[in-house]
Amino acid sequence: GEGCFWHTEIVFQSLVGVRDAVSGYAGGTDANPDYEKVCTGETGHAEVVNVYYDPSKISYETLVKAFFASHDPTQVNRQGNDVGTQYRSIAFYRNDRERQIIEAAIKRITDAKKYAGKIATEVKPLTKFYPAEEYHQEYILHHPENPYVQHVSIPDFERFRKEFKGN
């Protein structure tokens, strides 16, 4: 989770070796989250993507590097103009190896003093992923005329592609 899942989806789908990035919700307590409930900030869920990838073409380490390169991990409960706990920086892991990779990346970024502020990214085990409503899937592809897409999502994605040195 790194803010609006529309942005996160296009970032990960652009990477060679990623088969799909599905927008959804995770990290909360509501057993039936939907967009309207998650937007209240009361479910505890964040807007996230579940990334499906081929480990023979892209490593988990590269996915984590892309995650940190595509948003500001020092912002608390927001990304840019998107404000609320649902937009927090949060990285989920499925096993101890993934947790270690995420924590090592945070240490590298911190040691490099890339940001003036402290890394605020939460690191949590993934307990359940809930796919978002169908109209959120591939949103940028299907709604390129949307002002948010034109003025926020696409410029953020273009900055990511210029800076990210991955596949």
Side-chain angles (χ1 to χ4, degrees), residues 85-96:
T85 58
Q86 70 271 26
Y87 299 117
R88 69 190 182 273
S89 177
I90 187 166
F92 292 99
Y93 59 88
R94 288 185 167 92
N95 56 54
D96 197 50

Side-chain angles (χ1 to χ4, degrees), residues 50-72:
N50 195 7
V51 179
Y52 297 90
Y53 67 101
D54 180 343
S56 71
K57 295 182 181 174
I58 188 168
S59 68
Y60 188 78
E61 291 88 346
T62 300
L63 295 172
V64 170
K65 286 177 185 174
F67 169 78
F68 283 109
S70 58
H71 77 294
D72 180 349

